Amino acid sequence: MQSNQLQLLGDKNSERSINQLTEDIKFITQEIQELYCLDAIPWVIGVSWGKDSTTILQLIWNAISELPIAKRTKKIYVITTDTLVENPIVSTWVRQSLKTLKTAAHEQNMPFETHLLYPELKDRYWVNLIGKGYPAPRVRFRWCTERLKINPANRFIRNAVRENGEVILVLGMRKAESIKRSAVMKKHEKGRIRDRLSPRSSLINSLVYTPIEDWRDDEVWLYLMQWKNPWGHSNKDLFSMYRGATADNECPLVVDTSTPSCGSSRFGCWVCTLVSRDDSLSAMIQNDEEKEWLQPLLDIRNELDIKNDRAKRDYRRIYGKVELFERNQKGKLSVDTIPGPYTKKWREYWLRKVLEAQTQIRQTAPQEMRDITLITPEELSEIRRIWLEDKHEFDDSLPRIYQEVTGEPFHDRNKTPETETSLLGADEWGILEELCDEDEMHFELTTRLIDIERQYYTKSRRSGILSDLEKCFDTSSRSREEAIQNAYHQRDIKEAIANADVKKLQKLTQSPEPQEQKWSDFKFPNKSNIDN
């Protein structure tokens, strides 16, 4: 190891020597061997291919390799979750690592089996943000972690439990990573059945094994640099990846909401807005001219990460109702509306931005990275379906945007009668928009009513159409001002009831409630209007 690397890995506050670390490695090796041979319970190692999980994997590989081949009978699953919005550099590293490990396991008769996991289509980042309009994740609305990370890993673990009765999940968690991580680990220690084996309430019939829980950062790096990687990958290349970024905490395998998310980690998602800024991606671009092609990703991430995005979002929640929340602003109670999903304009804007970034990167990235995919064909097809079927946007703008940006026609991977035989399109959409003369709610209500009729037109049975039409009137028959006014009115009534304020309640119930246009008003106009 070079002297400057040793200096970086050193720690002035080290509490144990290299000899003591060596003895601990021998102890852990023996512990792994005994635990492995104790029963037939398979192991699942969660790896992100950062420093901690690589250390865990290397320790276990070396321990098992010392066993006779006849004793290497128990399967060890190595799982990695790809959120499909990973830093492209890290994503490439992960795939290369899995490939190398798989080859070495076969050649060396090792019981390791690799699995690259993905979120279900409905849970993917762009399907939710661009398709459904979910706003960029925030600490109070961290919708991404469970969908992208927890669910894929837990689904694999549950399947392994079904097949084998129980599993041991091996993680590279360390108390020294953060105060929060230490607190979480100490909490789980209370239920331990033996050293470093903890149950998890969220994972039935699963025990979590954390061999390096008491290691410090410098000890992790010392081990990786001094002990050779047994499956033939380069730990020095891993070190170089970390050295190119300012942050140095890897993104752990997340198995429940108590596990801290990536934060500003090296191995997080490039779209992450759970931190104030992405130090790692910025550093990679600044520290290496060859990585300047990543700039479009950082630009999108920074544009998503704005404090006040109300202007880009609907004033109603995703199910169409206005909701209010209270907050304390400088000692004064403030009641405001909760913004909902991104509007059609901004969902189309984000789609265009991602496609433009993908097109640009495929032209400017190194040759080996030019097949990069930021948004998959399957995701594009699902987004198109959501826009057409769920949001009733029959102008079908996705294929047009795709062709404008990429210069290629869009081929839908999920063709349905709804997407291929539409009776309405962009021309009809434009005519209605002109007729409604910038009346936002009138236009929305009209397009939704027409599209519901279109959707039921090809069905053999039309049961349910009346209910769907009623939902349209419930969510789209009031103007923005009327809907918000009505929400405040209902809140005042509930507050008066809660406080037993009879006078206020009588005043509120006697005052005219904000008017709402009912379906019957449209279907059965009054007679005088008909006669005229």
Side-chain angles (χ1 to χ4, degrees):
M1 189 192 315
Q2 297 178 358
S3 59
N4 63 332
Q5 290 179 339
L6 282 169
Q7 184 178 3
L8 178 61
L9 302 181
D11 187 345
K12 294 179 180 179
N13 298 319
S14 297
E15 296 180 1
R16 63 180 179 180
S17 65
I18 294 179
N19 289 335
Q20 289 173 318
L21 175 62
T22 302
E23 288 302 311
D24 190 36
I25 292 171
K26 290 180 181 178
F27 173 81
I28 292 174
T29 299
Q30 183 178 355
E31 180 181 73
I32 291 170
Q33 291 171 340
E34 291 176 355
L35 188 61
Y36 178 82
C37 296
L38 184 63
D39 50 45
I41 301 173
W43 287 12
V44 177
I45 307 178
V47 298
S48 66
W49 299 96
K51 66 183 193 308
D52 295 339
S53 58
T54 299
T55 296
I56 285 291
L57 189 54
Q58 188 165 310
L59 279 168
I60 293 176
W61 184 291
N62 286 333
I64 302 302
S65 67
E66 294 177 6
L67 295 174
I69 294 178
K71 288 190 174 183
R72 303 177 199 169
T73 55
K74 188 162 67 175
K75 189 75 71 177
I76 299 177
Y77 301 104
V78 179
I79 64 171
T80 300
T81 301
D82 183 356
T83 64
L84 296 174
V85 282
E86 302 290 335
N87 181 311
I89 303 296
V90 177
S91 181
T92 300
W93 168 266
V94 166
R95 282 168 169 73
Q96 291 174 346
S97 299
L98 283 170
K99 184 178 179 181
T100 303
L101 183 79
K102 183 178 181 180
T103 301
H106 177 74
E107 293 175 349
Q108 299 177 35
N109 290 311
M110 296 291 282
F112 292 82
E113 184 177 297
T114 60
H115 294 267
L116 186 58
L117 312 178
Y118 299 97
E120 291 185 299
L121 183 61
K122 65 181 178 62
D123 288 339
R124 294 183 186 178
Y125 186 85
W126 297 123
V127 168
N128 283 280
L129 189 139
I130 297 177
K132 298 176 184 176
Y134 280 23
R138 292 291 183 272
V139 174
R140 292 187 178 182
F141 188 38
R142 202 174 87 178
W143 56 264
C144 53
T145 305
E146 184 171 1
R147 288 175 171 83
L148 302 182
K149 296 182 179 181
I150 296 175
N151 290 346
N154 285 2
R155 189 163 54 247
F156 183 93
I157 294 167
R158 284 195 295 268
N159 288 337
V161 169
R162 288 193 194 98
E163 293 178 8
N164 303 281
E166 53 186 326
V167 299
I168 292 177
L169 176 62
V170 190
L171 300 176
M173 298 171 66
R174 294 183 300 110
K175 295 173 184 175
E177 288 179 81
S178 67
I179 295 175
K180 187 175 181 180
R181 174 64 60 84
S182 178
V184 170
M185 295 182 71
K186 287 178 181 178
K187 175 184 175 183
H188 289 300
E189 282 178 9
K190 296 178 182 178
R192 284 187 168 176
I193 60 173
R194 56 171 294 179
D195 289 347
R196 290 196 275 258
L197 274 176
S198 305
R200 285 290 179 99
S201 58
S202 60
L203 298 170
I204 299 174
N205 290 352
S206 302
L207 292 174
V208 176
Y209 178 39
T210 52
I212 62 168
E213 60 184 28
D214 296 315
W215 285 29
R216 301 184 312 274
D217 283 4
D218 63 299
E219 292 175 329
V220 171
W221 281 121
L222 201 60
Y223 175 73
L224 290 175
M225 294 297 105
Q226 295 288 352
W227 275 259
K228 184 179 179 182
N229 186 297
W231 58 86
H233 223 186
S234 172
N235 288 343
K236 289 185 178 180
D237 288 347
L238 177 64
F239 180 84
S240 296
M241 287 176 61
Y242 273 90
R243 187 171 55 183
T246 55
D248 129 307
N249 294 315
E250 70 182 86
C251 183
L253 179 87
V254 184
V255 294
D256 57 36
T257 52
S258 69
T259 307
S261 191
C262 304
S264 57
S265 98
R266 267 292 295 109
F267 291 87
C269 303
W270 66 265
V271 291
C272 184
T273 49
L274 294 174
V275 289
S276 56
R277 64 189 298 266
D278 190 333
D279 292 328
S280 59
L281 186 57
S282 300
M284 292 183 78
I285 296 170
Q286 293 172 3
N287 296 344
D288 190 344
E289 291 183 0
E290 294 182 358
K291 294 185 175 64
E292 289 182 355
W293 57 273
L294 291 168
Q295 186 63 46
L297 304 190
L298 186 60
D299 292 341
I300 291 176
R301 184 261 164 212
N302 289 341
E303 193 172 354
L304 282 167
D305 187 25
I306 60 173
K307 287 186 178 180
N308 189 354
D309 58 359
R310 281 178 170 270
K312 299 177 179 180
R313 296 164 61 182
D314 200 315
Y315 65 94
R316 298 158 296 183
R317 303 303 298 275
I318 200 165
Y319 40 84
K321 290 192 176 182
V322 175
E323 288 192 5
L324 307 175
F325 74 101
E326 297 180 356
R327 57 181 172 180
N328 192 313
Q329 288 187 319
K330 298 180 180 180
K332 294 184 178 180
L333 182 66
S334 171
V335 182
D336 207 347
T337 58
I338 302 175
Y342 290 126
T343 61
K344 181 178 190 291
K345 170 188 171 182
W346 285 102
R347 284 184 278 108
E348 292 175 346
Y349 174 84
W350 293 127
L351 172 64
R352 188 178 293 274
K353 292 289 288 187
V354 174
L355 289 173
E356 286 173 349
Q358 179 172 280
T359 302
Q360 182 178 343
I361 286 176
R362 287 178 175 178
Q363 296 170 353
T364 59
Q367 198 64 40
E368 65 274 13
M369 299 289 291
R370 292 197 175 183
D371 61 346
I372 190 170
T373 298
L374 300 182
I375 183 167
T376 67
E378 293 79 12
E379 290 167 350
L380 289 168
S381 293
E382 178 62 8
I383 290 169
R384 186 190 183 198
R385 185 199 66 77
I386 292 170
W387 287 4
L388 283 171
E389 296 182 13
D390 298 346
K391 295 188 177 294
H392 306 291
E393 294 166 356
F394 57 77
D395 60 324
D396 196 14
S397 59
L398 187 144
R400 171 179 53 79
I401 293 172
Y402 184 88
Q403 184 154 15
E404 287 175 357
V405 175
T406 67
E408 301 173 357
F410 176 69
H411 299 290
D412 200 326
R413 299 290 185 91
N414 186 31
K415 293 182 179 180
T416 66
E418 297 291 336
T419 60
E420 299 305 310
T421 59
S422 177
L423 300 175
L424 301 168
D427 291 341
E428 289 76 15
W429 185 273
I431 292 170
L432 285 173
E433 199 167 22
E434 184 177 345
L435 290 173
C436 292
D437 193 24
E438 298 184 359
D439 186 330
E440 181 183 356
M441 284 299 99
H442 188 189
F443 175 65
E444 179 181 294
L445 179 62
T446 304
T447 55
R448 289 189 176 188
L449 291 173
I450 291 175
D451 192 62
I452 286 175
E453 172 60 30
R454 177 190 66 83
Q455 289 187 11
Y456 278 91
Y457 178 77
T458 56
K459 294 182 178 181
S460 56
R461 297 185 62 192
R462 291 166 62 87
S463 60
I465 187 172
L466 294 181
S467 174
D468 286 349
L469 290 172
E470 287 284 6
K471 288 177 183 177
C472 280
F473 282 95
D474 288 341
T475 61
S476 305
S477 61
R478 286 189 174 105
S479 69
R480 177 193 297 260
E481 293 74 18
E482 290 170 339
I484 294 174
Q485 182 186 356
N486 182 63
Y488 277 101
H489 185 80
Q490 296 300 324
R491 175 186 177 276
D492 291 341
I493 290 176
K494 290 179 181 178
E495 191 177 72
I497 293 173
N499 297 330
D501 191 335
V502 178
K503 289 184 177 180
K504 185 177 180 180
L505 183 60
Q506 288 177 340
K507 182 179 179 181
L508 288 169
T509 53
Q510 289 172 1
S511 63
E513 184 179 343
Q515 292 299 307
E516 177 183 6
Q517 291 175 300
K518 298 294 185 181
W519 180 35
S520 56
D521 297 335
F522 286 83
K523 189 174 181 182
F524 305 111
N526 61 58
K527 188 174 183 300
S528 61
N529 287 341
I530 295 176
D531 294 338
N532 293 333

